[in-house]
Amino acid sequence: MYTTFSKALDELLGGGYQPATLMQAYGRTGSSKTTLCAYLPCVSIYKKLKEEGKLPEDGRFFVVDTDGGFDFGRFKQIAESHKVDYSDLSRRVAYFNPTTLSWQHFIVTKAIPKMIGMKVRMTEDDKEKLEKMKIEGKEVKPLFVTVDPICLFYRNEVLSTPMKFRASRIGTLTGLLDEELIVLRKIAVDYSIPICFSSWIVSPVSEALGTVPESRMIGGRSLSFIPKVIIELRIPSPGLPIREAYLFKHRGRPEGLTAQFRLTDGGIADI
């Protein structure tokens, strides 16, 4: 287990970030999704492995930042608040900033698996993409993977599709996300590492448009059943740095539990 640096949140999650587990955090803008799905797990995993003398030289943290929200300045602030060597941590981050769903899909299902030594079927086009991305030929060991958020391009493509074609388009796009989730889960299990991704909560407008049927989060029903841990992040008091995590799903904890925490220079802390 790897701590979230909040006793209340660790307890809610059954100990913290769990190895071999795919975790999802969803919520509205500003609900601390990037903090919990990207900054904190990187810092926590690095800190624990370093202190235990188990940090591999070829260990890497994979960050797929789809909306440009991963701020390295904030990342440094959190790392240094927990007495982590930011220069060493940051050099271990394999950072990706895709601008389309097809690039996101390629990174998650082809590029990252290729980098960590998984068997991947590569076309000539795929090989050209790897060359453009300047992917190193040497295999590395994954310590953590995050996709934050996983639903951005999915939502954009759905909303840009004419209503009469939307149902069939949603089916195609959902299939792409399903494949990404399956690959992420396989990496988590095969390498016994935590993997996190974030998504957005369905809005009343999205529900009215039928963008995401039968789901609390944008991206399709698989987002509800493939991850083994799901939390909804809420802002109970707008204007204050207080956040609440609602346990939507957990394989070892009852759903409906909540935990509150506050945002700090070091990420989060108990209230």
Side-chain angles (χ1 to χ4, degrees):
M1 293 287 189
Y2 301 96
T3 183
T4 63
F5 301 105
S6 161
K7 291 182 180 179
L9 191 54
D10 281 351
E11 182 178 352
L12 182 76
L13 297 175
Y17 299 107
Q18 302 178 19
T21 300
L22 185 59
M23 170 180 152
Q24 174 185 189
Y26 70 97
R28 302 190 185 284
T29 299
S31 58
S32 72
K33 298 184 296 298
T34 299
T35 298
L36 289 180
C37 283
Y39 302 140
L40 290 179
C42 287
V43 171
S44 180
I45 293 168
Y46 178 95
K47 184 178 177 67
K48 182 175 182 178
L49 293 179
K50 185 72 172 180
E51 291 175 346
E52 295 178 348
K54 297 179 180 179
L55 183 65
E57 178 57 33
D58 60 350
R60 295 292 182 270
F61 299 85
F62 293 90
V63 175
V64 183
D65 176 18
T66 63
D67 65 356
F70 189 90
D71 184 332
F72 279 91
R74 176 63 172 147
F75 187 35
K76 180 179 181 180
Q77 181 184 42
I78 292 175
E80 293 180 343
S81 294
H82 292 286
K83 304 186 186 310
V84 161
D85 182 351
Y86 176 71
S87 62
D88 187 50
L89 170 58
S90 60
R91 77 173 180 84
R92 297 171 180 274
V93 173
Y95 176 80
F96 303 93
N97 185 209
T99 55
T100 65
L101 181 58
S102 62
W103 268 108
Q104 172 185 314
H105 188 71
F106 175 77
I107 290 167
V108 173
T109 63
K110 297 289 183 73
I112 292 176
K114 180 69 174 178
M115 292 176 70
I116 64 178
M118 293 177 66
K119 291 184 178 180
V120 183
R121 182 175 296 178
M122 305 290 289
T123 65
E124 289 302 316
D125 183 53
D126 291 336
K127 294 176 182 178
E128 289 182 7
K129 288 180 179 179
L130 286 179
E131 290 181 3
K132 289 181 180 179
M133 295 173 67
K134 298 180 180 180
I135 299 298
E136 300 176 3
K138 184 180 178 181
E139 293 179 8
V140 295
K141 180 179 177 59
L143 301 177
F144 174 71
V145 182
T146 183
V147 184
D148 177 42
I150 201 170
C151 62
L152 172 65
F153 304 122
Y154 168 94
R155 177 182 180 276
N156 290 349
E157 294 211 19
V158 168
L159 294 180
S160 65
T161 301
M163 188 64 72
K164 63 180 179 180
F165 302 119
R166 189 163 291 179
S168 61
R169 185 59 177 157
I170 287 175
T172 299
L173 298 174
T174 300
L176 294 177
L177 290 190
D178 290 354
E179 185 179 357
E180 291 180 27
L181 294 177
I182 291 170
V183 170
L184 290 172
R185 182 180 180 280
K186 178 173 176 55
I187 294 173
V189 172
D190 287 357
Y191 294 88
S192 191
I193 62 172
I195 289 183
C196 299
F197 69 90
S198 71
S199 58
W200 298 333
I201 192 168
V202 174
S203 70
V205 173
S206 297
E207 291 178 330
L209 294 175
T211 304
V212 190
E214 304 178 46
S215 178
R216 279 285 291 164
M217 59 289 296
I218 295 175
R221 288 178 294 175
S222 291
L223 268 69
S224 298
F225 63 78
I226 292 182
K228 298 306 178 186
V229 177
I230 303 176
I231 57 173
E232 179 181 328
L233 294 172
R234 300 170 173 174
I235 306 175
S237 302
L240 296 178
I242 305 299
R243 300 293 182 267
E244 180 178 81
Y246 170 88
L247 196 61
F248 180 86
K249 175 184 176 181
H250 196 291
R251 58 188 171 189
R253 303 275 287 161
E255 66 179 66
L257 298 176
T258 62
Q260 288 197 347
F261 54 91
R262 59 189 175 88
L263 303 180
T264 68
D265 289 347
I268 65 173
D270 290 312
I271 296 176

